Amino acid sequence: MTIRNLDKLFQPRSVAIIGASNREQSVGKVLSRNLLGDAFNGPVLPVNPHEDAIGSTLCYKSIADLPIVPDLAVICTPAASVPAILEELAAKGTMAAVVVTAGFGEGDGHGADLVGEIKRIKTQYPIRVVGPNCVGIMVPPIGLNASFLHIQPPAGNLAFVTQSGAVASAVVDHAAHHNIGFSHVVSLGNMTDVDFGDMLDYLVADPNTKAILLYIESISSPRKFMSAARAAARNKPVIAIKSGRNQAAAKAAASHTGALTGSDAVFNAAFRRAGILRVYDLLELFDAVNTLGTGLKAANDRLAIITNGGGLGVLATESLVELGGRLAELSPETVAALDGKLPSTWSRGNPVDIIGDAPPERYEAALEEVIKDPNVDAVLVLNCPTAIADSIKAAEVVQRVVAGKPRVPILTNWVGEGAQEEAKKAFYRASVPSYDTPNQAVTGFMHMVRYKRRRDMLMQTPPSLPEGYHPETERARRVIEKAVGEGREWLTEPEAKDILDAYGIPVIETVIAKTPEEAGMAAVELGNHVVLKILSHDITHKSDVGGVRLDLTGRQQVIGAAEEMLRTVKRVKPEALIDGFAVQRMATMPHAEELIIGISTDPVFGPVILFGKGGVEVEVADDSAVALPPLDIPLARDMVQRTRVWSLLQGYRNRPPAAIEELTAALVKLSQIAMDFPEIRELDVNPLYINDYGILALDARVRVQDAANAIPVAIRPYPKHLERHVSLDNGLALTVRPIRPEDEPALLDLIQKSSLDDLRRRFFAPVKTLPHETAARLTQIDYDREMALVAESHGEILGVARLTADPHFETCEFAALVRTDQQGQGLGRRLMGDLIRHADSRGLQKMFGYVMSENRAMLALCHDLGFIETASPDDVGTRLVTLDIKQG
């Protein structure tokens, strides 16, 4: 993760065009024209050995002839020449390049060799590269158009990052036509270097960017992408289109779980987890921008509709219901107030139909009453043109109400073209969201709702698992290592259930028998009503002979069935290695629903968790949800709620509600299995029975691989290896460990029990407590780029030390707080020592922090730890302390 030298890409003081040309219809000609316009305030240096001038601008014969070292180079020469040009520029000191040249996309052969050369140059020089095979970049606020696009949009506060040059062209064209401005337009091309993660890290810190738009075809570094996206989405809207939704690669998977977790479903899960709002076409993308770009926020999903046409209100209502929103129920007070201001023929409900002859004053009266209703989260105002009412003046009324900063967002749809265009333009100038159809307007409102829900999910403080939950990790590890060591891809069903049992997921009682006679005795032991299965390393599918479920009663029946299974297997698969039989007690769970839970491996994002409707028709039912681990209880519950089976689990007719708490806990435990064992490629529990008493796994299958071939989890899990037990100077025993999301209450308690002076020194401002959003941000950290170590004793946090790495991942800033009554016992030194060691293990080079000059104890500790103290460049009352970690 790095944004090193991206400022040279997007804020260059000088630009060179390598391959500039006078030849009409050439890329070099278009690039030169776009860069040599008078918008960019800096030298533009064309390079071409065959030209004396590009237009009226002097052209240089070679890079060596350039009078200055350009910050940015734009390269459009033939592919074979690009690596040598890039290396010459990097050696000269150029820090950024845009390679628009194609010819690098081949999976093998010369194109791959050229890509390898670019990557080699990247390891030797700090130059950043956008592309190759891209249309370039634009930064309209500084007049930089280093692209060969046909038009430059106006400056604005939207950033658009895309892998597709064609989509970049379409978006820029649409935006220019609608006067939509951009802070950045970036075509990434093949992403040999700069990728989506880099751009998200850069744009989230850019004050001119208010929303980030993405067109994604693939993700090159999923963990970096997830870390950057989660950080960005906490601060500003991130909206994405993902192409390739209909890929069917998962159909070849060997398990139900693999078949249900197609790549597009996993991308959906990744976007949801990152807080990204996904849209499905360019029109919806701009509608989302129209809504979220205004900064408006809806508290919930209850929409009020004001219209001068009943049909329009019906269309909007239908769209709202289909998209999962709710029609606000107007309060009796609002209805009474509207009775006094509207004609007697008004609808007396929501939608508020103010009748087709409604003058502007009627719009104003209705709107002013509706926005005061506490049951309303947003208002959609609809207008269809009529010969007896002035649509333009009605629009002016809405703008006047909006200018008064109402409590709730107001969206508009002035239906039609021609006569309505002037009103739409006026809405745009006034930053009032306006749409072309009722459906688009409602979709815009639901974008607002979905964005808030995703952002809220990022800020939730999840409850922990039940107290005392300690999985038997080593027991499960022995099972997996045995299978991997024997070269087996599939575990036997008893082995699979052993792993589930080790992690506290209830499994049906099963006895392993070596012979048919032993199977008969096991049936008697289990109650004379059992399911019999044959165990074989060579039989892996339930459709095979050995996996057929046989419901049996009695010892002799079981023996006979076992003998017949042996004969059948040997006849069908003479080479099969028979390990014996599994004799399983019949499940007796009244009113149980059949579910499926599992783990699959996505080729991009690694392990994913699945939940859905189970049973033999699992694929046909097509009712499932996926999520990326690690999971917590709210995330697991969200998975379950996204399926249709959720409504059945709530109870119906004479069936009580199912044990949702046990189900969500099982999903969290499954998530822990996925994180603890990269060897697990697939895990399938189908069916999982659930009723009001609990859950029970009937069948389980696990597919394993060598850990060296595993794709890592996309979100770095809780780093348990950093936990350790220590004692303070006063003998107090405590645990030092990474902070967890459920630590929010304990962190707030630490704040409450610390003196105001200590809090002022830590936060550089008078602080008595922390708002939930801040506390959630401090406890729900991204372990990939942050760390917070807490000292815990009997559930209380006595101190915390944290670091945040910069996007270069070279330096990190630290901060620390020890509870006032625990100071002087060596706690701060222990926390800081562990923090420094962690920074060193992650490859960070420097640690720095700002300490108030009056905080002599902290300055003395930093001095003892090897920090160098200097004056802060920004505050005379603050000292800057810096540690060279490698020498510390």
Side-chain angles (χ1 to χ4, degrees), residues 846-885:
K846 290 188 181 295
M847 180 181 286
F848 71 93
Y850 295 94
V851 182
M852 283 188 169
S853 301
E854 66 183 75
N855 194 351
R856 305 312 307 173
M858 189 64 191
L859 289 172
L861 173 60
C862 290
H863 180 269
D864 289 347
L865 292 171
F867 285 80
I868 302 300
E869 179 184 340
T870 58
S872 170
D874 302 316
D875 185 356
V876 296
T878 302
R879 307 294 289 176
L880 172 64
V881 292
T882 306
L883 175 69
D884 187 331
I885 295 174

Side-chain angles (χ1 to χ4, degrees), residues 363-701:
Y363 269 100
E364 184 172 25
L367 189 53
E368 286 184 341
E369 292 301 330
V370 170
I371 60 177
K372 293 187 291 188
D373 194 315
N375 297 330
V376 171
D377 298 311
V379 180
L380 170 59
V381 185
L382 303 171
N383 176 275
C384 59
T386 68
I388 55 176
D390 191 327
S391 295
I392 302 299
K393 290 185 177 178
E396 291 172 353
V397 163
V398 174
Q399 293 171 52
R400 189 162 59 246
V401 175
V402 170
K405 298 183 177 179
R407 179 185 63 84
V408 297
I410 296 175
L411 302 88
T412 63
N413 168 218
W414 259 229
V415 181
E417 307 291 338
Q420 302 287 56
E421 284 303 312
E422 186 177 340
K424 292 177 182 179
K425 291 179 181 178
F427 283 135
Y428 176 81
R429 289 191 296 270
S431 296
V432 178
S434 182
Y435 308 85
D436 291 334
T437 68
N439 176 263
Q440 286 176 249
V442 171
T443 300
F445 166 66
M446 290 307 296
H447 287 153
M448 196 182 302
V449 172
R450 287 167 54 204
Y451 170 67
K452 181 183 183 298
R453 287 174 179 169
R454 303 241 168 135
R455 194 169 181 275
D456 287 348
M457 189 169 288
L458 289 175
M459 300 297 178
Q460 284 181 349
T461 300
S464 60
L465 283 169
E467 189 71 25
Y469 172 68
H470 299 293
E472 297 178 63
T473 306
E474 290 308 312
R475 171 183 160 196
R477 189 179 308 282
R478 287 192 295 271
V479 173
I480 293 171
E481 288 179 348
K482 179 176 182 292
V484 173
E486 294 173 354
R488 286 192 282 130
E489 184 180 14
W490 290 94
L491 272 60
T492 65
E493 183 172 324
E495 288 174 329
K497 288 179 177 176
D498 200 17
I499 292 174
L500 297 180
D501 186 57
Y503 274 73
I505 298 174
V507 296
I508 191 74
E509 188 175 356
T510 303
V511 175
I512 307 303
K514 291 294 184 181
T515 65
E517 289 73 19
E518 287 183 17
M521 292 304 297
V524 174
E525 179 184 336
L526 292 174
N528 273 333
H529 197 50
V530 297
V531 173
L532 178 67
K533 299 177 187 178
I534 198 164
L535 301 178
S536 170
H537 291 173
D538 299 302
I539 300 174
T540 57
H541 293 275
K542 290 186 179 179
S543 58
D544 289 342
V545 173
V548 173
R549 293 170 58 108
L550 298 176
D551 295 349
L552 304 163
T553 305
R555 177 175 176 271
Q556 288 304 320
Q557 189 180 18
V558 170
I559 292 174
E563 291 174 341
E564 179 60 27
M565 290 177 82
L566 278 175
R567 287 191 293 270
T568 303
V569 171
K570 285 300 183 183
R571 184 174 66 250
V572 176
K573 278 191 169 185
E575 75 283 4
L577 300 176
I578 308 301
D579 295 326
F581 303 89
V583 187
Q584 175 182 298
R585 184 192 300 275
M586 282 293 296
T588 54
M589 290 186 69
H591 307 301
E593 295 288 343
E594 283 190 345
L595 306 175
I596 180 173
I597 62 174
I599 301 169
S600 183
T601 302
D602 182 76
V604 177
F605 292 100
V608 294
I609 308 301
L610 171 114
F611 165 80
K613 182 75 171 71
V616 294
E617 334 69 10
V618 56
E619 284 97 346
V620 179
D622 189 25
D623 182 28
S624 62
V626 297
L628 301 186
L631 292 183
D632 54 36
I633 296 297
L635 289 170
R637 190 177 183 88
D638 176 70
M639 278 185 72
V640 180
Q641 289 176 332
R642 284 187 277 126
T643 61
R644 295 189 300 277
V645 75
W646 165 258
S647 60
L648 297 178
L649 300 180
Q650 303 309 295
Y652 58 95
R653 295 183 180 174
N654 63 337
R655 292 197 177 188
I660 300 294
E661 294 77 12
E662 290 194 32
L663 173 61
T664 54
L667 288 168
V668 176
K669 294 170 183 177
L670 205 65
S671 164
Q672 190 62 48
I673 292 174
M675 292 184 293
D676 286 347
F677 299 108
E679 298 92 339
I680 292 180
R681 184 175 174 185
E682 294 178 34
L683 187 154
D684 193 277
V685 180
N686 181 35
L688 177 79
Y689 275 9
I690 184 171
N691 64 8
D692 54 320
Y693 290 105
I695 60 172
L696 185 65
L698 270 65
D699 289 339
R701 305 173 69 243

Side-chain angles (χ1 to χ4, degrees), residues 24 31 109 167 218 239 252 274 307 355 373 416 449 458 515 543 598 653 710-711 727 819 836 863-864:
E24 293 297 330
L31 276 168
V167 171
S218 62
I239 308 164
T307 178
I355 315 304
D373 194 315
V449 172
L458 289 175
T515 65
S543 58
R653 295 183 180 174
I711 301 172
S727 297
R819 206 170 79 183
I836 293 168
H863 180 269
D864 289 347

